[in-house]
Amino acid sequence: MQRNNEPAKDSTKQMKEAHKTIAEVLRLACKSSDFHQFSPVEGDFPVRIQISYFQTLVDNLKINRYLVSEIQKNIKHINGIEDMKNIIPLEEINVTYDAAEVERKLIKGYVLIQLNETDDAFILVNVNITERGHRLSNDTENEFSVVGPKVGFVENIDLNIHLLRQQMAVPELVFEEVTVGSMSNTKVMIVYLDGVTNDQHVQTARQRLQAIDVDIIYDSSFLDQIISDNTNTPFPLFLSTERVDRVIYAISSGQVAVFSDGSPYVITGPSTFLDFFISPEDYYVPWIIGSFFRIIRIMSVFFSVFATPLYVAILTYHFAVLPEALLEPLIMSRSHVPFPPVIEAIFLEITIELLREAGARLPTKIGQTLGIVGGIVIGQATVHAALTSNILLIIVALTALASFTTPIFKMANTIRLLRFPFILLAALWGGLGITAGFLLLTGHLLRLKSLGTPYLVPIFPFRTGNFSDSIIRASYAFMTSRSKYLKPKVLTKYQPKEDKEDINDE
Amino acid sequence: MGKQVKESLTVSPYLLWTLIHGTQMGSTLLIFQSRIINGAEMDSLFSFAAVGLSLHLIIAMMFYLLSHSTEGDIISLHNQLFGKWVGSLMTFVFYGYILLFIVNELRPYIEVIHVWVFPYTPLWSLSILFLLVASYIVSGGLRVITGICFFCVIIPSLLIPSLYFPLKQAHWTNFLPLFNHNAHQFAESAYHSLTTMLGVEFLLLLYPFIKNQEKSKKWAHIAVAHSTLIPLIIAFVSFSYFNIQELQHTIWPTLILSKIIRFPFLERFDYIYIFIWFFVIISACCVGLWGAIRILKKTIGIKSRPSLWITGGLVFVIMLPMKNPMMIEKLDSVLTLSGWILLYGYIPLLCAWMSLRRWFANKKSMHNEN
């Protein structure tokens, strides 16, 4: 599905809810056993007070210590809504006349205070407890780095925002809230740097998020799929990460980040193809080493996609390509294998996929054992049983290893998937099939866009002056400006002092 | 100016370089040496260079024509000069020429595949493979085609350093004596040179899709110069490697050249040449298909997707009966002739007509003012 930036549709949902009365709202809530309703004071006072809330969503301490006790202490002075507002020592107190809003807020952990039941004004006090049931810290286990911070995002959006604000202490960092999901009412935040990020990116992200019509948001990767420019692609069009430093880098270079409550992953866009091969560690080591490993990572992508198909193509059709010295060990290792190369290759590739998938589903401790059993025992046994050749085993193991060097999990998956069509094409048309596959892949990548920005930029459309942080990671003295293809409003990030040593100074 | 399509559909002017260069380079690059030696033999390098130079003049004429047409392409130009009916007819002749152009890219390449790699794969299955790949790319629009052309410029140019290996065996005396042919022989070589450089005529359709049209002129000329230089280098190396009698009996000199390259892990470098040539032909096919679609869309008003299938189907049908390798020679001679008529006959004629019309129109308006 290709998408255009269609304007958000008006939802008719809110119109329907407007007709509910407060009695209906409370009747529905009373069906749940965790819904509490009581009067804090009994007797003859100017007002009758009723407090209602979902017990599981609120902080009981706050209600008992501040709300109830203050009301009981000052009950003689309470004559109306205004007095009530003045005595409650909590920060977020709203007055509303809308029953539908009461319903929405109750379920988010607000307390409803009614004066004289018949009144149509309601007080809503925020006493929700967001920390309950959430972990408070996350080591970045899935995107590990040896050097650099290890704190990752958690499921609680307020904590995530706190983590971000701690590192970027400028008021220009803007958090825009959008509520998504007709049933989950998930808090989704669009984060960008005001005055740097191009308005067009923010506008597109906002428009697409507002246009979403879905019941429950389980994770930010769910949002990622809904708002992506093209849904019929194996490639991830937004980068999703649990690392704080990665998100900060993306925002500071003029990208937009989207936080979703309940998800430790943050999506950033517009992303380009090369972004997925960048590891934060590249920036924490000297630029020569960082660049070296980045090049290794990009090369390993090519190796991982093309090595097995090349084996299949050469052994099926083009054995003339190999010199005699190399052909001999190949023939030796394959002499007892009864299958054509393509069956052999697909068999081994699927074995590796099984190992990976089983390892990911099992608990960590069992997973390690499985790796040893699967990798060594099955590998050795298949070669001994003459089901595959030794050389293919080496190639497949190496390609699996190479595909794990990609720092972003989603992209690593895509790369592993890409191998299979290439193996089939190689089996059908040999080298010609691989070339055809490469052309189709390039044609596919060229038509992808992320938030309206071409996916392959800066390689195509070719943009000079954006290569200091792409295939290589240049020294910080040369990474002074943001990437031009993101169209940031301010191009320079920082200006290093020019005090280079001259050869004559010695 | 009103000669551009919507801003969002246009491409940067420098991409005209890759588009035109990508269209010009094609499967003939594998065979052209044994064709151009008909006539001036080793001196045909000069004829080739002369044709390349004269193409700059033709490009300049095209730019003149396009800048004075109503919508900036040959379809509107035909309608403007000949009226609706005759104009559409002329556009359809151009459509036929494009079909021929695509077939001339695909059929010789399939012949290479048949002889060198897969002798038993039927013609139709290979044609379907190529046409499907091209159709997928074309269905992504001009931006995707431009991208493919961009990669197709880079990848084959990486093969140029591989010519170092045959140069180690060069016989420099092959070129001597220089200039021992008469004008007629030079002309014959020049006549055979043109097919290698055909593809510039797609400027007539691409022009409205270029962003900054004034700047794009430079890039079109760079494209033609680039496409003249690369065959010249290849021809130069092959002339120094083969002698003239060998060349006369070699069908694919470029491939034979690459056969002497050997690495410890690679015995037959020619396979790499053959498969990488897929990139070279696909860019020309894609631009060709795109141009054909554009013509169908603007003259009859068929939507893009059906016209892609129609054009692809027509190419397939034309290719099916061409089982005999002799047909390739015939195809080439037909295309050479039509290329000469189009570029060196028709376009100068249109140019003359256009300038006459403008001269008369000017005179008329001057007269009216007086």
Side-chain angles (χ1 to χ4, degrees):
Chain A
M1 184 195 82
Q2 295 274 344
R3 71 149 71 227
N4 301 314
N5 296 331
E6 69 278 351
K9 272 176 256 159
D10 282 332
S11 187
T12 50
K13 186 178 65 189
Q14 263 128 20
M15 305 285 285
K16 265 188 246 159
E17 279 178 5
H19 300 297
K20 269 192 179 170
T21 64
I22 188 72
E24 277 172 344
V25 169
L26 291 179
R27 202 183 310 133
L28 185 64
C30 277
K31 285 184 180 174
S32 305
S33 58
D34 62 339
F35 187 68
H36 280 212
Q37 250 183 332
F38 66 93
S39 280
V41 283
E42 299 291 336
D44 194 22
F45 293 109
V47 287
R48 271 177 46 77
I49 298 170
Q50 192 175 36
I51 296 178
S52 338
Y53 57 88
F54 281 97
Q55 196 216 336
T56 46
L57 295 174
V58 298
D59 193 347
N60 282 327
L61 200 67
K62 274 188 191 167
I63 293 185
N64 294 337
R65 190 172 289 174
Y66 305 112
L67 200 72
V68 177
S69 74
E70 285 299 319
I71 291 175
Q72 283 169 342
K73 233 185 274 172
N74 298 304
I75 185 71
K76 294 199 177 104
H77 311 291
I78 298 175
N79 290 314
I81 297 270
E82 280 307 307
D83 301 329
M84 195 66 153
K85 268 184 92 171
N86 290 339
I87 65 146
I88 296 176
L90 292 166
E91 48 177 350
E92 205 183 324
I93 302 166
N94 304 326
V95 176
T96 181
Y97 298 89
D98 181 10
E101 194 188 338
V102 172
E103 188 178 28
R104 272 202 304 281
K105 290 273 166 84
L106 266 180
I107 208 73
K108 284 279 169 196
Y110 283 60
V111 162
L112 166 69
I113 301 174
Q114 284 167 288
L115 295 178
N116 299 333
E117 274 175 51
T118 46
D119 275 9
D120 55 354
F122 315 106
I123 300 174
L124 291 163
V125 187
N126 184 6
V127 288
N128 68 345
I129 178 159
T130 50
E131 293 85 12
R132 188 186 284 168
H134 282 308
R135 52 179 177 164
L136 294 176
S137 66
N138 175 18
D139 295 340
T140 52
E141 277 168 5
N142 298 326
E143 290 168 60
F144 189 76
S145 73
V146 181
V147 192
K150 309 256 183 319
V151 178
F153 289 116
V154 292
E155 283 81 355
N156 185 344
I157 195 168
D158 296 324
L159 205 58
N160 289 348
I161 292 171
H162 170 77
L163 286 174
L164 203 64
R165 281 250 191 243
Q166 243 180 359
Q167 296 249 324
M168 290 182 94
V170 281
E172 280 85 8
L173 187 66
V174 179
F175 290 85
E176 259 186 49
E177 190 177 326
V178 184
T179 307
V180 184
S182 58
M183 222 181 245
S184 62
N185 281 321
T186 310
K187 203 199 242 182
V188 171
M189 292 276 195
I190 307 170
V191 189
Y192 59 93
L193 211 52
D194 193 40
V196 172
T197 315
N198 195 300
D199 295 331
Q200 215 186 333
H201 300 323
V202 183
Q203 180 62 25
T204 320
R206 193 186 297 138
Q207 234 172 43
R208 287 188 189 170
L209 283 172
Q210 280 167 351
I212 290 178
D213 189 13
V214 75
D215 55 351
I216 294 175
I217 301 293
Y218 300 95
D219 188 59
S220 62
S221 51
F222 200 66
L223 284 178
D224 174 351
Q225 289 173 43
I226 301 176
I227 66 170
S228 81
D229 304 51
N230 187 338
T231 47
N232 297 330
T233 172
F235 288 92
L237 294 179
F238 295 98
L239 198 140
S240 66
T241 177
E242 58 173 354
R243 288 190 68 96
V244 181
D245 49 359
R246 239 194 137 111
V247 173
I248 289 168
Y249 184 73
I251 293 174
S252 73
S253 54
Q255 292 180 346
V256 179
V258 177
F259 286 66
S260 160
D261 200 6
S263 166
Y265 279 85
V266 174
I267 57 179
T268 61
S271 315
T272 64
F273 185 63
L274 285 176
D275 284 351
F276 291 88
F277 304 105
I278 291 174
S279 160
E281 218 169 27
D282 295 350
Y283 302 97
Y284 303 145
V285 292
W287 73 270
I288 299 177
I289 295 170
S291 303
F292 174 70
F293 284 114
R294 197 176 279 185
I295 291 168
I296 292 271
R297 231 174 278 136
I298 292 171
M299 270 165 46
S300 74
V301 171
F302 281 94
F303 180 77
S304 160
V305 174
F306 292 108
T308 324
L310 274 177
Y311 173 87
V312 173
I314 289 174
L315 283 195
T316 317
Y317 300 106
H318 318 305
F319 22 83
V321 171
L322 292 175
E324 216 174 314
L326 208 64
L327 206 56
E328 205 181 298
L330 265 176
I331 293 171
M332 291 281 278
S333 77
R334 257 190 68 76
S335 55
H336 295 295
V337 180
F339 309 121
V342 56
I343 307 245
E344 194 191 348
I346 287 193
F347 168 71
L348 256 193
E349 288 287 357
I350 288 184
T351 312
I352 292 268
E353 286 305 297
L354 281 179
L355 277 177
R356 193 197 61 77
E357 191 65 18
R361 301 285 155 260
L362 280 173
T364 334
K365 280 168 193 147
I366 309 174
Q368 279 174 358
T369 337
L370 183 96
I372 297 166
V373 172
I376 300 173
V377 177
I378 297 180
Q380 273 300 317
T382 39
V383 172
H384 270 290
L387 289 178
T388 57
S389 70
N390 262 325
I391 292 183
L392 183 67
L393 190 68
I394 296 169
I395 293 177
V396 169
L398 277 180
T399 54
L401 209 59
S403 74
F404 290 125
T405 57
T406 308
I408 300 291
F409 180 68
K410 281 185 182 171
M411 193 49 122
N413 279 344
T414 309
I415 286 160
R416 272 200 301 281
L417 173 78
L418 281 182
R419 226 180 279 162
F420 289 96
F422 272 100
I423 291 176
L424 290 180
L425 280 169
L428 282 174
W429 284 295
L432 196 68
I434 295 178
T435 325
F438 184 76
L439 277 169
L440 289 175
L441 178 66
T442 320
H444 181 70
L445 280 173
L446 280 168
R447 60 172 82 186
L448 292 182
K449 281 183 174 181
S450 169
L451 279 187
T453 306
Y455 197 50
L456 277 186
V457 80
I459 306 166
F460 183 85
F462 189 74
R463 296 271 181 274
T464 49
N466 289 308
F467 282 93
S468 61
D469 183 21
S470 57
I471 296 168
I472 57 155
R473 199 280 279 180
S475 140
Y476 283 109
F478 296 99
M479 283 178 25
T480 52
S481 57
R482 299 185 168 89
S483 297
K484 271 184 221 147
Y485 55 81
L486 290 171
K487 303 193 187 89
K489 286 182 190 163
V490 184
L491 203 59
T492 14
K493 267 194 214 166
Y494 50 84
Q495 280 165 320
K497 276 205 189 94
E498 299 262 344
D499 55 345
K500 281 180 193 148
E501 263 180 36
D502 198 69
I503 200 159
N504 294 332
D505 293 351
E506 291 293 314
Chain B
M1 294 222 314
K3 278 171 199 139
Q4 256 178 9
V5 292
K6 259 193 313 186
E7 170 87 23
S8 60
L9 294 175
T10 55
V11 295
S12 302
Y14 78 93
L15 289 170
L16 192 63
W17 168 37
T18 63
L19 272 170
I20 289 186
H21 177 68
T23 321
Q24 281 184 288
M25 298 290 96
S27 54
T28 33
L29 217 53
L30 297 173
I31 5 179
F32 75 104
Q33 299 98 318
S34 45
R35 285 195 185 137
I36 59 172
I37 53 166
N38 290 329
E41 299 187 327
M42 295 302 187
D43 284 340
S44 56
L45 282 180
F46 300 103
S47 307
F48 195 92
V51 173
L53 283 179
S54 68
L55 271 181
H56 287 283
L57 195 70
I58 304 292
I59 288 267
M61 283 185 191
M62 282 187 200
F63 273 116
Y64 170 76
L65 278 174
L66 292 170
S67 62
H68 291 115
S69 66
T70 46
E71 280 170 48
D73 58 6
I74 192 164
I75 306 159
S76 64
L77 188 75
H78 276 153
N79 289 347
Q80 189 186 348
L81 292 181
F82 303 116
K84 194 164 178 260
W85 287 107
V86 185
S88 295
L89 194 73
M90 295 308 281
T91 312
F92 268 102
V93 174
F94 192 56
Y95 179 76
Y97 168 80
I98 290 175
L99 289 185
L100 208 64
F101 179 84
I102 301 171
V103 172
N104 188 51
E105 289 298 337
L106 287 179
R107 185 63 189 90
Y109 184 63
I110 290 178
E111 186 64 22
V112 174
I113 298 282
H114 269 160
V115 173
W116 291 70
V117 195
F118 298 124
Y120 305 114
T121 314
L123 176 65
W124 61 265
S125 78
L126 284 175
S127 335
I128 284 183
L129 172 71
F130 294 138
L131 284 172
L132 279 184
V133 172
S135 305
Y136 179 72
I137 293 166
V138 172
S139 65
L142 188 67
R143 250 164 213 283
V144 177
I145 299 173
T146 321
I148 289 288
C149 284
F150 182 76
F151 289 112
C152 293
V153 168
I154 297 171
I155 291 170
S157 294
L158 293 179
L159 284 180
I160 292 291
S162 73
L163 292 175
Y164 161 76
F165 294 93
L167 267 185
K168 283 201 290 194
Q169 326 277 331
H171 304 282
W172 299 110
T173 46
N174 277 357
F175 291 97
L176 301 174
L178 284 173
F179 298 116
N180 61 338
H181 297 91
N182 58 31
H184 180 259
Q185 284 167 321
F186 273 111
E188 200 183 336
S189 281
Y191 179 76
H192 289 292
S193 304
L194 187 68
T195 34
T196 317
M197 284 181 283
L198 278 184
V200 278
E201 58 278 4
F202 284 95
L203 177 67
L204 294 171
L205 291 164
L206 288 169
Y207 188 71
F209 289 85
I210 307 300
K211 206 170 272 169
N212 192 335
Q213 289 165 338
E214 243 349 272
K215 262 190 190 167
S216 70
K217 285 185 184 174
K218 177 179 78 182
W219 293 108
H221 286 289
I222 288 177
V224 172
H226 189 183
S227 325
T228 317
L229 204 64
I230 285 193
L232 267 181
I233 293 171
I234 295 176
F236 180 75
V237 175
S238 10
F239 289 168
S240 67
Y241 183 77
F242 298 106
N243 62 39
I244 205 78
Q245 286 78 22
E246 264 180 308
L247 264 183
Q248 275 160 352
H249 294 101
T250 311
I251 307 181
W252 295 286
T254 315
L255 287 180
I256 304 278
L257 269 187
S258 66
K259 277 190 82 155
I260 65 157
I261 306 172
R262 265 192 203 138
F263 290 109
F265 52 90
L266 195 69
E267 185 86 4
R268 297 273 302 271
F269 202 79
D270 43 324
Y271 274 83
I272 298 200
Y273 258 73
I274 291 171
F275 295 137
I276 282 189
W277 231 258
F278 197 169
F279 290 99
V280 181
I281 64 145
I282 209 76
S283 56
C285 283
C286 288
V287 176
L289 274 178
W290 176 85
I293 291 169
R294 182 102 187 120
I295 286 179
L296 282 188
K297 199 176 165 189
K298 281 199 81 178
T299 47
I300 326 181
I302 310 177
K303 283 210 178 86
S304 298
R305 216 158 275 270
S307 47
L308 175 62
W309 293 121
I310 292 171
T311 315
L314 277 177
V315 173
F316 182 65
V317 168
I318 297 172
M319 232 160 21
L320 268 189
M322 294 191 167
K323 294 224 166 75
N324 193 339
M326 294 310 288
M327 288 295 283
I328 298 171
E329 289 301 313
K330 258 184 217 156
L331 187 69
D332 180 73
S333 58
V334 172
L335 195 76
T336 314
L337 186 65
S338 40
W340 277 98
I341 293 172
L342 174 71
L343 286 178
Y344 290 85
Y346 187 58
I347 284 172
L349 209 71
L350 280 186
C351 240
W353 192 343
M354 186 57 124
S355 47
L356 270 181
R357 256 173 73 116
R358 286 177 54 77
W359 189 65
F360 276 119
N362 264 344
K363 224 176 175 191
K364 219 175 184 179
S365 62
M366 292 251 284
H367 192 75
N368 284 352
E369 272 170 32
N370 292 342

